[in-house]
């Protein structure tokens, strides 16, 4: 369903192509906003129909709406520089990677629990 063939576009100047591109982007953005507005309207309609609170819909797995997470206590600490800690979540910091690479056990960095 192409309105333009490559040959059609090939005959346009750079200025004409840039103008066409700007027009297409503006129309695309307008249509995306319209579709999003319609989707929001439908979601609101369904939520109201079923008596749902939108906060219930956006909260995931007990997390607060808005994606707020509770801070996690560090589980590992550098043996020489106590300011370097790691929660054990996500990617390992370089100092942990180097510690393991040097043949030391990750558990030796674990912060003792009281």
């Amino acid at each position: 369903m192409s309105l333009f063939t490559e040959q059609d576009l090939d005959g346009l100047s750079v200025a004409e192509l840039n103008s066409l591109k700007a027009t297409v982007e503006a129309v695309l953005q307008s249509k995306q906003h319209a579709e999003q507005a319609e989707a929001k309207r439908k979601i609101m309609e369904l939520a109201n129909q079923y008596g749902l609170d939108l906060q219930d819909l956006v909260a995931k797995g007990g997390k607060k709406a808005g994606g707020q997470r509770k801070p996690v206590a560090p589980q590992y600490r550098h043996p020489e520089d106590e300011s370097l800690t790691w929660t054990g979540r996500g990617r390992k910091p370089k100092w942990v990677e180097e510690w393991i690479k040097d043949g030391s056990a990750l558990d030796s960095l674990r912060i003792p629990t009281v």
Side-chain angles (χ1 to χ4, degrees), residues 75-91:
Q75 300 296 315
Y76 302 93
R77 178 174 286 128
H78 192 283
E80 297 165 6
D81 184 353
E82 292 190 2
S83 69
L84 296 175
T85 60
W86 178 48
T87 63
R89 295 184 180 180
R91 191 173 189 171

PDB file of all heavy atoms in Angstrom, residues 75-91:
ATOM      1  N   GLN A  75      24.563  -6.219  50.508  1.00  0.00           N
ATOM      2  CA  GLN A  75      24.862  -7.581  50.947  1.00  0.00           C
ATOM      3  C   GLN A  75      26.368  -7.866  50.931  1.00  0.00           C
ATOM      4  O   GLN A  75      26.826  -8.796  51.584  1.00  0.00           O
ATOM      5  CB  GLN A  75      24.158  -8.588  50.030  1.00  0.00           C
ATOM      6  CG  GLN A  75      22.654  -8.444  50.001  1.00  0.00           C
ATOM      7  CD  GLN A  75      22.012  -8.740  51.340  1.00  0.00           C
ATOM      8  OE1 GLN A  75      22.348  -9.717  51.992  1.00  0.00           O
ATOM      9  NE2 GLN A  75      21.101  -7.885  51.753  1.00  0.00           N
ATOM     10  N   TYR A  76      27.108  -7.050  50.159  1.00  0.00           N
ATOM     11  CA  TYR A  76      28.541  -7.276  49.999  1.00  0.00           C
ATOM     12  C   TYR A  76      29.299  -5.970  50.213  1.00  0.00           C
ATOM     13  O   TYR A  76      28.821  -4.903  49.873  1.00  0.00           O
ATOM     14  CB  TYR A  76      28.852  -7.818  48.596  1.00  0.00           C
ATOM     15  CG  TYR A  76      28.121  -9.100  48.294  1.00  0.00           C
ATOM     16  CD1 TYR A  76      26.889  -9.077  47.651  1.00  0.00           C
ATOM     17  CD2 TYR A  76      28.648 -10.330  48.665  1.00  0.00           C
ATOM     18  CE1 TYR A  76      26.200 -10.254  47.376  1.00  0.00           C
ATOM     19  CE2 TYR A  76      27.972 -11.501  48.403  1.00  0.00           C
ATOM     20  CZ  TYR A  76      26.751 -11.462  47.762  1.00  0.00           C
ATOM     21  OH  TYR A  76      26.078 -12.622  47.505  1.00  0.00           O
ATOM     22  N   ARG A  77      30.509  -6.074  50.811  1.00  0.00           N
ATOM     23  CA  ARG A  77      31.329  -4.889  51.065  1.00  0.00           C
ATOM     24  C   ARG A  77      32.770  -5.203  50.688  1.00  0.00           C
ATOM     25  O   ARG A  77      33.285  -6.289  50.963  1.00  0.00           O
ATOM     26  CB  ARG A  77      31.245  -4.506  52.550  1.00  0.00           C
ATOM     27  CG  ARG A  77      32.111  -3.305  52.895  1.00  0.00           C
ATOM     28  CD  ARG A  77      31.927  -2.835  54.328  1.00  0.00           C
ATOM     29  NE  ARG A  77      30.631  -2.164  54.412  1.00  0.00           N
ATOM     30  CZ  ARG A  77      29.691  -2.459  55.315  1.00  0.00           C
ATOM     31  NH1 ARG A  77      29.894  -3.396  56.197  1.00  0.00           N
ATOM     32  NH2 ARG A  77      28.549  -1.806  55.328  1.00  0.00           N
ATOM     33  N   HIS A  78      33.425  -4.216  50.090  1.00  0.00           N
ATOM     34  CA  HIS A  78      34.834  -4.339  49.736  1.00  0.00           C
ATOM     35  C   HIS A  78      35.629  -4.479  51.037  1.00  0.00           C
ATOM     36  O   HIS A  78      35.391  -3.749  52.001  1.00  0.00           O
ATOM     37  CB  HIS A  78      35.277  -3.096  48.958  1.00  0.00           C
ATOM     38  CG  HIS A  78      36.615  -3.242  48.318  1.00  0.00           C
ATOM     39  ND1 HIS A  78      37.790  -3.153  49.030  1.00  0.00           N
ATOM     40  CD2 HIS A  78      36.957  -3.468  47.024  1.00  0.00           C
ATOM     41  CE1 HIS A  78      38.801  -3.310  48.202  1.00  0.00           C
ATOM     42  NE2 HIS A  78      38.323  -3.502  46.979  1.00  0.00           N
ATOM     43  N   PRO A  79      36.603  -5.395  51.106  1.00  0.00           N
ATOM     44  CA  PRO A  79      37.330  -5.629  52.353  1.00  0.00           C
ATOM     45  C   PRO A  79      38.244  -4.475  52.782  1.00  0.00           C
ATOM     46  O   PRO A  79      38.523  -4.314  53.968  1.00  0.00           O
ATOM     47  CB  PRO A  79      38.144  -6.891  52.070  1.00  0.00           C
ATOM     48  CG  PRO A  79      38.253  -6.953  50.587  1.00  0.00           C
ATOM     49  CD  PRO A  79      37.019  -6.295  50.048  1.00  0.00           C
ATOM     50  N   GLU A  80      38.684  -3.658  51.814  1.00  0.00           N
ATOM     51  CA  GLU A  80      39.612  -2.576  52.157  1.00  0.00           C
ATOM     52  C   GLU A  80      38.959  -1.199  52.108  1.00  0.00           C
ATOM     53  O   GLU A  80      39.409  -0.275  52.775  1.00  0.00           O
ATOM     54  CB  GLU A  80      40.813  -2.618  51.211  1.00  0.00           C
ATOM     55  CG  GLU A  80      41.618  -3.899  51.354  1.00  0.00           C
ATOM     56  CD  GLU A  80      42.571  -4.118  50.191  1.00  0.00           C
ATOM     57  OE1 GLU A  80      42.697  -3.231  49.331  1.00  0.00           O
ATOM     58  OE2 GLU A  80      43.177  -5.200  50.154  1.00  0.00           O
ATOM     59  N   ASP A  81      37.920  -1.057  51.307  1.00  0.00           N
ATOM     60  CA  ASP A  81      37.238   0.240  51.168  1.00  0.00           C
ATOM     61  C   ASP A  81      35.760   0.039  51.493  1.00  0.00           C
ATOM     62  O   ASP A  81      34.972  -0.382  50.656  1.00  0.00           O
ATOM     63  CB  ASP A  81      37.413   0.777  49.741  1.00  0.00           C
ATOM     64  CG  ASP A  81      36.804   2.156  49.553  1.00  0.00           C
ATOM     65  OD1 ASP A  81      36.123   2.653  50.468  1.00  0.00           O
ATOM     66  OD2 ASP A  81      37.001   2.734  48.469  1.00  0.00           O
ATOM     67  N   GLU A  82      35.385   0.347  52.734  1.00  0.00           N
ATOM     68  CA  GLU A  82      34.024   0.086  53.194  1.00  0.00           C
ATOM     69  C   GLU A  82      32.967   0.935  52.492  1.00  0.00           C
ATOM     70  O   GLU A  82      31.778   0.666  52.614  1.00  0.00           O
ATOM     71  CB  GLU A  82      33.938   0.268  54.706  1.00  0.00           C
ATOM     72  CG  GLU A  82      34.706  -0.793  55.458  1.00  0.00           C
ATOM     73  CD  GLU A  82      34.433  -0.763  56.946  1.00  0.00           C
ATOM     74  OE1 GLU A  82      33.616   0.068  57.394  1.00  0.00           O
ATOM     75  OE2 GLU A  82      35.030  -1.581  57.652  1.00  0.00           O
ATOM     76  N   SER A  83      33.401   1.952  51.755  1.00  0.00           N
ATOM     77  CA  SER A  83      32.424   2.763  51.019  1.00  0.00           C
ATOM     78  C   SER A  83      31.926   2.037  49.778  1.00  0.00           C
ATOM     79  O   SER A  83      30.909   2.412  49.199  1.00  0.00           O
ATOM     80  CB  SER A  83      33.030   4.111  50.636  1.00  0.00           C
ATOM     81  OG  SER A  83      34.036   3.943  49.656  1.00  0.00           O
ATOM     82  N   LEU A  84      32.638   0.986  49.361  1.00  0.00           N
ATOM     83  CA  LEU A  84      32.231   0.204  48.192  1.00  0.00           C
ATOM     84  C   LEU A  84      31.360  -0.958  48.640  1.00  0.00           C
ATOM     85  O   LEU A  84      31.834  -1.878  49.314  1.00  0.00           O
ATOM     86  CB  LEU A  84      33.454  -0.317  47.442  1.00  0.00           C
ATOM     87  CG  LEU A  84      34.363   0.738  46.820  1.00  0.00           C
ATOM     88  CD1 LEU A  84      35.596   0.074  46.222  1.00  0.00           C
ATOM     89  CD2 LEU A  84      33.621   1.546  45.779  1.00  0.00           C
ATOM     90  N   THR A  85      30.076  -0.873  48.297  1.00  0.00           N
ATOM     91  CA  THR A  85      29.138  -1.940  48.651  1.00  0.00           C
ATOM     92  C   THR A  85      28.342  -2.337  47.418  1.00  0.00           C
ATOM     93  O   THR A  85      28.314  -1.621  46.416  1.00  0.00           O
ATOM     94  CB  THR A  85      28.166  -1.482  49.756  1.00  0.00           C
ATOM     95  OG1 THR A  85      27.425  -0.352  49.291  1.00  0.00           O
ATOM     96  CG2 THR A  85      28.907  -1.142  51.042  1.00  0.00           C
ATOM     97  N   TRP A  86      27.661  -3.473  47.529  1.00  0.00           N
ATOM     98  CA  TRP A  86      26.807  -3.967  46.462  1.00  0.00           C
ATOM     99  C   TRP A  86      25.649  -4.712  47.084  1.00  0.00           C
ATOM    100  O   TRP A  86      25.817  -5.471  48.041  1.00  0.00           O
ATOM    101  CB  TRP A  86      27.620  -4.876  45.535  1.00  0.00           C
ATOM    102  CG  TRP A  86      26.846  -5.487  44.404  1.00  0.00           C
ATOM    103  CD1 TRP A  86      26.003  -4.860  43.546  1.00  0.00           C
ATOM    104  CD2 TRP A  86      26.862  -6.855  44.003  1.00  0.00           C
ATOM    105  NE1 TRP A  86      25.490  -5.743  42.634  1.00  0.00           N
ATOM    106  CE2 TRP A  86      26.007  -6.979  42.893  1.00  0.00           C
ATOM    107  CE3 TRP A  86      27.512  -7.987  44.474  1.00  0.00           C
ATOM    108  CZ2 TRP A  86      25.789  -8.190  42.246  1.00  0.00           C
ATOM    109  CZ3 TRP A  86      27.299  -9.184  43.827  1.00  0.00           C
ATOM    110  CH2 TRP A  86      26.442  -9.272  42.717  1.00  0.00           C
ATOM    111  N   THR A  87      24.457  -4.503  46.546  1.00  0.00           N
ATOM    112  CA  THR A  87      23.256  -5.142  47.085  1.00  0.00           C
ATOM    113  C   THR A  87      23.140  -6.600  46.674  1.00  0.00           C
ATOM    114  O   THR A  87      22.358  -7.342  47.262  1.00  0.00           O
ATOM    115  CB  THR A  87      21.981  -4.419  46.605  1.00  0.00           C
ATOM    116  OG1 THR A  87      21.894  -4.522  45.190  1.00  0.00           O
ATOM    117  CG2 THR A  87      21.965  -2.979  47.058  1.00  0.00           C
ATOM    118  N   GLY A  88      23.882  -7.001  45.661  1.00  0.00           N
ATOM    119  CA  GLY A  88      23.762  -8.362  45.153  1.00  0.00           C
ATOM    120  C   GLY A  88      22.751  -8.443  44.028  1.00  0.00           C
ATOM    121  O   GLY A  88      22.494  -9.507  43.488  1.00  0.00           O
ATOM    122  N   ARG A  89      22.179  -7.304  43.675  1.00  0.00           N
ATOM    123  CA  ARG A  89      21.207  -7.250  42.586  1.00  0.00           C
ATOM    124  C   ARG A  89      21.820  -6.522  41.395  1.00  0.00           C
ATOM    125  O   ARG A  89      22.626  -5.626  41.560  1.00  0.00           O
ATOM    126  CB  ARG A  89      19.948  -6.513  43.023  1.00  0.00           C
ATOM    127  CG  ARG A  89      19.208  -7.238  44.112  1.00  0.00           C
ATOM    128  CD  ARG A  89      17.927  -6.523  44.423  1.00  0.00           C
ATOM    129  NE  ARG A  89      17.207  -7.211  45.473  1.00  0.00           N
ATOM    130  CZ  ARG A  89      16.055  -6.824  45.954  1.00  0.00           C
ATOM    131  NH1 ARG A  89      15.495  -5.716  45.504  1.00  0.00           N
ATOM    132  NH2 ARG A  89      15.466  -7.503  46.897  1.00  0.00           N
ATOM    133  N   GLY A  90      21.384  -6.917  40.237  1.00  0.00           N
ATOM    134  CA  GLY A  90      21.881  -6.246  39.041  1.00  0.00           C
ATOM    135  C   GLY A  90      23.291  -6.673  38.702  1.00  0.00           C
ATOM    136  O   GLY A  90      23.827  -7.644  39.228  1.00  0.00           O
ATOM    137  N   ARG A  91      23.891  -5.891  37.848  1.00  0.00           N
ATOM    138  CA  ARG A  91      25.238  -6.193  37.367  1.00  0.00           C
ATOM    139  C   ARG A  91      26.265  -6.030  38.497  1.00  0.00           C
ATOM    140  O   ARG A  91      26.179  -5.102  39.295  1.00  0.00           O
ATOM    141  CB  ARG A  91      25.554  -5.240  36.224  1.00  0.00           C
ATOM    142  CG  ARG A  91      26.768  -5.580  35.477  1.00  0.00           C
ATOM    143  CD  ARG A  91      26.881  -4.670  34.288  1.00  0.00           C
ATOM    144  NE  ARG A  91      27.946  -5.134  33.442  1.00  0.00           N
ATOM    145  CZ  ARG A  91      28.190  -4.678  32.251  1.00  0.00           C
ATOM    146  NH1 ARG A  91      27.435  -3.731  31.753  1.00  0.00           N
ATOM    147  NH2 ARG A  91      29.176  -5.142  31.542  1.00  0.00           N
TER     148      ARG A  91
END
